[in-house]
Amino acid sequence: MYQGRTMFKIFRACKMRPTRMGFEPTRAEHNGLAVHRLNHSATSSCALPFRRLCTSVTFRLKMVDSQYYLPNDIGISALDCSEAFRLLSPQEKMYAHYLSRASWYGGLVVLLQTSPESANIFVLLQRIFRKQTPAQLEQVATAAGLSSEEYQAFLVYAAGLYANMGNYKSFGDTKFIPNLPKDKLKALVWASQAFQEQPAEMEALWDSCSCLLYSLENRQKQLGLGDKGITTYFSGNCCLEDAELAQKFLDSKSYSVYSCRPLGFSCAKRSNYCAVDGEYKEFTVKRGDYSRVMEKVCYYLEKARAYAANENQRKMLEEYTRSFTLGSIDAHKEGSRYWIKDKGPIVESYIGFIESYRDPFGSRGEFEGFVAVVNKAMSERFAKLVSSAEVLLPELPWPQEFEKDAFLKPDFTSLDVLTFAGSGIPAGINIPNYDDIRQTEGFKNVSLGNVLAVAYATQKEKLTFLEEGDKDLFIKWKGPSFEVQVGLHELLGHGSGKLFVQDDMGKFNFDQSKVINPETGEPVSSWYRGSETWDSKFSTIASSYEECRAECVGLYLCLNKQVLSIFGHEGQDADDVVYINWLSMVRAGLLGLEFYTPESKRWRQAHMQARFVILRVLLEAGEGLVGLEEVTGEDGKPDAQITLDRSKIPTVGKNAIHRFLCKLQVFKSTADVEGGRAFYDKYSTVSDTGAHNFLRLRETVLLRKEARKMFVQANTRISGDSVELVEYEGSAAGLIRSFTERFQDDAEQLESGLLELSKQDAPCWC
């Protein structure tokens, strides 16, 4: 039997907490589940919260903030990889095809990782569109009483669900709901061919998700832990204290947190407090989470192995298969080692539980898998940057002792994405994320060229918060400057800096008698111990803090003429690239306010929090470096304007980033969680006091925000002895068709499996 992720039940007696459901220790098990759960009746009070949500939906929809809708004119672009795919050999095409299939099936796990209702909504949409294409369904929608705008809103919602692999935005973790009345959407579902053929099944499917599909109760508005939001990385009755408790247990057993989720609950015996005054804990470890999906992943990885180009690729896929079969992170680490050794492949890929951005505790990995083809011309530039790394690293503002003992030159390639399965597509990646491998064995960097080509294209009329004189320059150099920033961010940002560690045998990787903390002038007094990692120590701030550090490295080193020359920028052009790179960061810091929730005082997106922090640092630098002014727009509504004195970037700006970046690295190297958290939280604070009213500016940002683009990806299919690339138009309809055709071979079996997994998890969210 295939056993994917490991799941933990946590049972503990605790002190009375009126804000959280109590639970008692039990070994009761639900018969027949691959991952054992507590027995739970479908008629229990667990269902009541969902029914209560329905009563307020109609009233609330009239007052919904636009941030919870996807606009009908949202940008949707096709990712073009046709030329890159055409140039592959038949063997490489087969390899890419089977890796893509493994990635797409694995990506379905994200539905179950996002929200309790996401998988059911996905199946509802798949069943509707498998029977009727968006064009065919349009006539049905008109007959059912939907306007053209309402039908387009439905298509955009469906496209958004597919693009984000759930009903929460992958970038910002905010829920989005259909921008049409619930009764109109229900009428369309009832009129669809899928409903006509299977009315009972479709009605049951609608009933299982329709309330949560539209719910905007406060806790439902965003992802989060406990009363802060929704998560499926923890059961509904887990809080931050439980997350910390689980982490201590995992650390004590040297067990990786990447592919597990703590589920602590007792639906059979509900109360407002626990029976025992005091604390104890009992952990039951179960394997097999997501096993029905992971079985398909392993099947296609085995198929791909037959077309691998070399032994490293074959061993890599063998270890990945072992990891997903046994739920072994050690096997995935071993596969990652072979992946690092596979230098310069034509078809590049990576797959697994990778990024921890959406775990509210900041440690567990969301599933993703990508397959891409090397862009040789652009990769040559990145190779030159890698060759220059050992010269550039000493320029960073921390002492030599705080840098890795040796820079392990990684692969750094520009790739055209064929497949990126998960909740979203980044511009660049630095992986693997395992600290022990990164520190001593290396990593790889990739820049996703065809993503960059379309993601950051900007229309002048949609450019907000800039002076008119900056807009043309911004449009001209935004792409090239971001290319430089991504290169530096991934290679020398995430790839730099040493962690001071004392291993389980008591051995140090630094001389604690000689290494001096530059901030205190005293010997280093703290470090990582045993199995502690960056993520486990810094937990909830780890992702944003590290992104901020990498962004600062990009800003700092983009001032280097050698770096700019590597990317082909000289003279005035080079100066313009630097200016736009810094201006982009300042503007991004203001735009980041969209991803802050005042009610919970919580940031929902790691990168945007990082950019806001950098904005605060540069504003604090003073001397007229950055200006931020609230103004009234030409439309009479609140607006804002950013200015950046380009003459002061190499002096005031560089000095500010120098000081800030050094502090970030020192706190990170020395595992100083208390100091690092206080320092980072200070700059992350969003308030209405001080020189700038950031809470009021947030309202202006929301008023003028532009929705993030979505991408349509191609499919591959075997035709005879060859592999064909199937492309789709860059529209909501094209995105929908790509998904319905992606899983058409085993659609019914797949959909029933997802529904069963969703049903098995249901008791955990009560």
Side-chain angles (χ1 to χ4, degrees), residues 67-365:
Q67 68 175 310
Y68 301 109
Y69 290 138
L70 300 178
N72 279 9
D73 62 352
I74 189 171
I76 303 177
S77 300
L79 276 185
D80 181 16
C81 62
S82 56
E83 182 63 14
F85 187 80
R86 184 185 68 81
L87 294 173
L88 295 179
S89 70
Q91 178 182 340
E92 289 164 347
K93 288 180 179 179
M94 282 290 188
Y95 184 66
H97 167 73
Y98 285 120
L99 287 176
S100 292
R101 300 306 295 159
S103 297
W104 285 125
Y105 276 94
L108 296 171
V109 167
V110 179
L111 293 164
L112 301 161
Q113 291 183 297
T114 298
S115 72
E117 66 273 15
S118 285
N120 293 48
I121 300 171
F122 176 87
V123 173
L124 178 70
L125 295 173
Q126 286 289 88
R127 290 186 175 177
I128 290 172
F129 289 116
R130 277 199 294 111
K131 293 297 182 180
Q132 292 167 293
T133 67
Q136 292 169 337
L137 193 64
E138 185 171 13
Q139 298 177 6
V140 176
T142 301
L146 277 71
S147 67
S148 60
E149 291 79 11
E150 288 169 335
Y151 182 63
Q152 178 64 18
F154 168 63
L155 295 184
V156 166
Y157 176 80
L161 190 286
Y162 289 132
N164 292 277
M165 271 287 97
N167 59 336
Y168 286 77
K169 297 174 186 176
S170 64
F171 200 85
D173 294 345
T174 305
K175 188 172 188 176
F176 58 95
I177 66 173
N179 192 11
L180 71 159
K182 184 177 179 181
D183 59 346
K184 291 288 188 76
L185 179 53
K186 181 177 181 179
L188 177 58
V189 173
W190 257 244
S192 68
Q193 184 177 333
F195 190 94
Q196 300 305 310
E197 292 181 5
Q198 294 184 307
E201 291 86 345
M202 288 293 288
E203 183 170 2
L205 190 51
W206 170 264
D207 289 343
S208 73
C209 64
S210 59
C211 290
L212 286 175
L213 189 152
Y214 272 93
S215 171
L216 284 176
E217 295 293 314
N218 284 336
R219 186 169 171 244
Q220 296 282 336
K221 289 179 178 178
Q222 64 280 315
L223 299 179
L225 184 59
D227 60 359
K228 303 296 185 183
I230 294 299
T231 183
T232 55
Y233 286 96
F234 297 83
S235 56
N237 57 358
C238 283
C239 63
L240 181 61
E241 183 181 350
D242 298 315
E244 292 169 343
L245 178 68
Q247 187 65 58
K248 290 177 182 176
F249 166 76
L250 292 164
D251 287 343
S252 73
K253 301 297 182 182
S254 297
Y255 195 98
S256 175
V257 73
Y258 273 108
S259 61
C260 72
R261 51 179 181 160
L263 303 179
F265 57 89
S266 174
C267 289
K269 297 181 179 181
R270 298 170 62 94
S271 61
N272 290 323
Y273 59 92
C274 300
V276 180
D277 183 19
E279 294 201 12
Y280 63 87
K281 52 181 179 266
E282 175 184 342
F283 290 85
T284 302
V285 181
K286 300 292 183 181
R287 297 178 182 271
D289 216 1
Y290 311 138
S291 57
R292 295 182 69 164
V293 177
M294 301 314 293
E295 184 175 5
K296 297 289 291 187
V297 175
C298 293
Y299 170 79
Y300 284 114
L301 289 178
E302 282 295 305
K303 288 281 191 179
R305 197 153 68 97
Y307 297 95
N310 54 56
E311 190 63 17
N312 279 325
Q313 289 182 358
R314 282 186 283 275
K315 290 289 189 181
M316 171 188 77
L317 296 179
E318 182 180 328
E319 292 297 335
Y320 289 163
T321 301
R322 189 163 72 90
S323 172
F324 301 145
T325 301
L326 301 176
S328 168
I329 288 297
D330 286 340
H332 196 270
K333 284 186 174 182
E334 195 63 24
S336 297
R337 291 185 173 99
Y338 285 114
W339 179 69
I340 293 169
K341 294 174 185 176
D342 184 28
K343 302 290 186 182
I346 300 300
V347 177
E348 184 63 281
S349 68
Y350 197 63
I351 189 169
F353 296 91
I354 311 300
E355 301 293 354
S356 58
Y357 300 125
R358 301 183 93 188
D359 169 19
F361 193 64
S363 298
R364 288 154 189 82

Side-chain angles (χ1 to χ4, degrees), residues 22-38:
F23 47 103
E24 299 177 3
T26 175
R27 291 186 179 274
E29 295 177 340
H30 189 298
N31 293 331
L33 300 186
V35 182
H36 294 26
R37 302 287 205 279
L38 293 177

Side-chain angles (χ1 to χ4, degrees), residues 1 6 115 303 406 421 487 540 559 602 607 708 717 753:
M1 172 186 162
T6 303
S115 72
K303 288 281 191 179
T540 54
L559 294 167
R602 175 177 171 268
H607 298 79
R708 193 171 175 84
R717 67 183 176 202

Side-chain angles (χ1 to χ4, degrees), residues 55-76:
T55 61
S56 61
V57 165
T58 303
F59 172 72
R60 283 183 174 272
L61 280 178
K62 298 175 182 177
M63 302 183 296
V64 170
D65 191 309
S66 63
Q67 68 175 310
Y68 301 109
Y69 290 138
L70 300 178
N72 279 9
D73 62 352
I74 189 171
I76 303 177

Side-chain angles (χ1 to χ4, degrees), residues 515-740:
V515 177
I516 301 298
N517 183 324
E519 297 300 319
T520 65
E522 301 291 332
V524 166
S525 58
S526 58
W527 47 81
Y528 298 85
R529 301 172 188 272
S531 61
E532 290 179 342
T533 66
W534 162 249
D535 282 333
S536 69
K537 286 289 287 184
F538 281 73
S539 63
T540 54
I541 69 165
S543 291
S544 181
Y545 189 111
E546 174 60 13
E547 293 304 331
C548 187
R549 196 183 69 88
E551 292 283 44
C552 286
V553 169
L555 288 180
Y556 193 77
L557 290 180
C558 81
L559 294 167
N560 185 288
K561 298 298 184 184
Q562 181 182 352
V563 168
L564 295 166
S565 180
I566 287 171
F567 285 90
H569 307 305
E570 306 281 356
Q572 184 60 46
D573 287 353
D575 292 342
D576 288 344
V577 165
V578 170
Y579 176 59
I580 295 304
N581 193 36
W582 280 64
L583 183 63
S584 296
M585 188 63 69
V586 172
R587 179 174 181 265
L590 180 60
L591 295 177
L593 287 168
E594 175 189 344
F595 303 94
Y596 177 77
T597 304
E599 293 79 8
S600 61
K601 297 183 178 179
R602 175 177 171 268
W603 285 91
R604 307 187 311 275
Q605 214 293 319
H607 298 79
M608 300 311 284
Q609 178 183 359
R611 290 159 187 164
F612 176 77
V613 166
I614 293 171
L615 169 63
R616 291 283 309 275
V617 170
L618 296 178
L619 284 168
E620 182 184 78
E623 300 187 44
L625 173 68
V626 172
L628 175 57
E629 182 183 2
E630 293 184 70
V631 298
T632 300
E634 293 181 358
D635 57 3
K637 297 177 181 178
D639 206 340
Q641 190 168 90
I642 293 164
T643 56
L644 173 65
D645 187 337
R646 64 189 297 165
S647 70
K648 294 180 179 178
I649 292 173
T651 53
V652 180
K654 184 178 182 180
N655 290 339
I657 295 298
H658 182 287
R659 292 189 297 270
F660 179 69
L661 185 51
C662 185
K663 289 178 183 290
L664 288 179
Q665 183 58 48
V666 169
F667 287 130
K668 180 181 180 180
S669 290
T670 60
D672 184 354
V673 180
E674 183 177 344
R677 184 179 292 276
F679 180 67
Y680 197 67
D681 284 349
K682 181 183 79 168
Y683 288 102
S684 298
T685 300
V686 178
S687 73
D688 56 1
T689 61
H692 299 92
N693 187 330
F694 286 114
L695 284 175
R696 191 166 62 218
L697 280 165
R698 175 182 175 273
E699 297 301 318
T700 302
V701 170
L702 289 174
L703 176 69
R704 300 187 179 277
K705 73 183 181 73
E706 181 181 2
R708 193 171 175 84
K709 285 183 180 178
M710 297 190 288
F711 299 109
V712 181
Q713 299 183 61
N715 285 322
T716 55
R717 67 183 176 202
I718 294 177
S719 178
D721 296 330
S722 62
V723 179
E724 295 179 348
L725 187 71
V726 184
E727 297 180 282
Y728 304 88
E729 66 178 14
S731 67
L735 204 161
I736 291 165
R737 283 192 59 213
S738 73
F739 267 87
T740 52

